[in-house]
Amino acid sequence: MLEIDPDGVVDHLRAGELSDQVDRINGAIDGIENHDEVDRRDTYGRITFRHVAYRYYFTEAVAAYLH
């Protein structure tokens, strides 16, 4: 359970390193899902972060061909 002021929830969840953010967000979701008195929608769930995709660039020859 988050023991912070409701106005500070977003700042708390976004603070720190990415791994800390993931742990706090998923901890909050666990708390919501395990609490019987919390009303929740079915449109959300655990957050998973994917690795950034590889980035590819056209060579100068391909860029010239496309133009």
Side-chain angles (χ1 to χ4, degrees):
M1 178 162 210
L2 296 175
E3 296 184 13
I4 60 170
D5 182 54
D7 293 331
V9 170
V10 172
D11 290 336
H12 174 74
L13 295 176
R14 290 183 177 170
E17 299 291 324
L18 182 59
S19 62
D20 296 330
Q21 293 174 17
V22 172
D23 290 343
R24 280 193 296 270
I25 290 170
N26 285 331
I29 291 170
D30 290 341
I32 291 167
E33 290 177 343
N34 294 325
H35 199 284
D36 294 332
E37 296 179 19
V38 175
D39 292 329
R40 59 187 178 273
R41 299 181 308 242
D42 293 332
T43 57
Y44 80 96
R46 280 181 113 17
I47 296 174
T48 56
F49 291 88
R50 295 180 168 205
H51 297 286
V52 178
Y54 292 110
R55 295 178 187 234
Y56 296 96
Y57 299 94
F58 292 127
T59 63
E60 290 181 19
V62 171
Y65 175 77
L66 294 174
H67 291 286

